[in-house]
């Protein structure tokens, strides 16, 4: 019997499953190794900038913020995340993953990091976790939001798309529509550049 199995057997009231224990471990490592990582803090200090205060009622005309490296928009500091630049996410699903997880999170230089807004960060994370492109991840997230808000049927009706009988079918149709629209937009941009 592995040590983790003994822990789960002895403390079922704390961790109901191995997944719950691994989630606890991931969160603890992120909080201790990443949230106050000296290189991350140095990156923030060296890359933040004064931007116009979006809160028009505030006294300060400018606040600390930065530019999202993905969407290129300006955001206040609290709306930005410091993201690791890599093609995959650090995973910690098994005890044997601890070392590589800690290394991926903590062995960084400023060149390994980027500012991204929270929305783009969520998209990047989804893309890495599900091994899809950022465009597919964005379409999936937008479709899920429509389904969660119960706006999926109306979206499909508004865009003359057959309304599926299940949420899964409606979500799939929305994703396909959004990806097709993106493809058409990219083709138009390429054509405009040629003209």
């Amino acid at each position: 019997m592995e040590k983790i199995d003994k822990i789960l057997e002895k403390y079922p009231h704390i961790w109901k499953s191995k997944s719950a224990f691994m989630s606890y471990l991931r969160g603890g490592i992120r909080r201790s190794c990443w949230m106050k990582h000296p290189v991350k803090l140095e990156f923030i200090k060296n890359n933040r900038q004064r931007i116009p205060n979006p809160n028009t009622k505030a006294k300060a005309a400018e606040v600390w913020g930065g530019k999202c490296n993905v969407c290129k928009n300006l955001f206040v500091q609290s709306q930005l995340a410091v993201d690791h630049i890599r093609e995959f996410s650090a995973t910690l699903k098994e005890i044997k993953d601890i070392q590589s997880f800690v290394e991926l999170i903590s062995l960084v230089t400023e060149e390994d990091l980027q500012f991204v807004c929270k929305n783009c960060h969520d998209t990047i994370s989804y893309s890495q976790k599900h091994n899809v492109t950022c465009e597919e991840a964005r379409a999936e997230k937008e479709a899920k939001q429509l389904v969660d808000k119960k706006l999926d049927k109306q979206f499909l009706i508004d865009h003359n798309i057959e309304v599926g009988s299940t949420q899964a079918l409606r979500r799939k149709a929305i994703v396909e529509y959004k990806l097709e629209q993106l493809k058409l937009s990219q083709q138009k941009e390429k054509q405009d550049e040629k003209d």
Side-chain angles (χ1 to χ4, degrees):
M1 178 180 265
E2 288 187 43
K3 183 74 172 187
I4 188 165
D5 296 323
K6 290 179 184 175
I7 291 169
L8 295 174
E9 187 178 288
K10 187 167 183 167
Y11 303 102
H13 59 288
I14 298 175
W15 298 289
K16 295 185 182 351
S17 65
K18 180 179 176 184
S19 176
F21 180 83
M22 299 311 289
S23 178
Y24 152 78
L25 201 55
R26 276 191 305 275
I29 292 170
R30 281 196 178 109
R31 282 188 299 278
S32 63
C33 287
W34 181 239
M35 296 310 290
K36 297 197 185 280
H37 193 295
V39 174
K40 174 188 174 186
L41 299 177
E42 189 75 7
F43 172 85
I44 293 170
K45 187 174 88 176
N46 293 336
N47 290 279
R48 66 185 180 167
Q49 56 186 289
R50 299 297 284 176
I51 64 168
N53 191 343
N55 182 355
T56 55
K57 295 180 182 178
K59 292 181 182 178
E62 293 184 331
V63 293
W64 286 111
K67 183 183 283 190
C68 173
N69 200 41
V70 176
C71 68
K72 307 300 182 197
N73 294 317
L74 290 176
F75 293 90
V76 297
Q77 191 69 52
S78 63
Q79 294 174 340
L80 289 170
V82 177
D83 181 50
H84 291 77
I85 301 171
R86 59 176 175 247
E87 297 296 317
F88 54 90
S89 63
T91 59
L92 179 53
K93 294 181 180 175
E94 302 290 335
I95 296 296
K96 65 180 176 54
D97 299 332
I98 292 174
Q99 181 175 343
S100 63
F101 183 79
V102 171
E103 287 176 359
L104 283 168
I105 283 182
S106 60
L107 298 179
V108 295
T109 65
E110 287 186 62
E111 292 75 26
D112 300 319
L113 306 174
Q114 63 181 342
F115 269 144
V116 291
C117 68
K118 290 185 176 180
N119 189 41
C120 288
H121 188 256
D122 289 346
T123 300
I124 291 168
S125 297
Y126 185 99
S127 142
Q128 291 172 341
K129 183 177 181 180
H130 297 284
N131 197 26
V132 296
T133 66
C134 281
E135 291 81 9
E136 291 168 317
R138 188 170 288 111
E140 286 284 353
K141 284 182 64 211
E142 290 171 2
K144 183 181 182 314
Q145 288 172 347
L146 287 168
V147 169
D148 290 349
K149 293 177 181 176
K150 301 199 182 312
L151 300 173
D152 52 326
K153 290 179 184 176
Q154 191 59 50
F155 178 91
L156 294 169
I157 291 167
D158 292 347
H159 293 88
N160 298 318
I161 303 167
E162 184 180 336
V163 178
S165 59
T166 66
Q167 282 185 350
L169 288 172
R170 294 190 296 271
R171 183 172 169 173
K172 181 179 179 192
I174 293 169
V175 169
E176 288 171 357
Y177 172 81
K178 289 188 169 284
L179 290 174
E180 183 61 30
Q181 291 302 304
L182 177 66
K183 184 178 174 184
L184 292 172
S185 173
Q186 290 170 340
Q187 288 171 348
K188 185 180 182 314
E189 284 176 18
K190 285 180 184 176
Q191 187 60 42
D192 289 347
E193 287 174 9
K194 288 179 183 178
D195 294 341

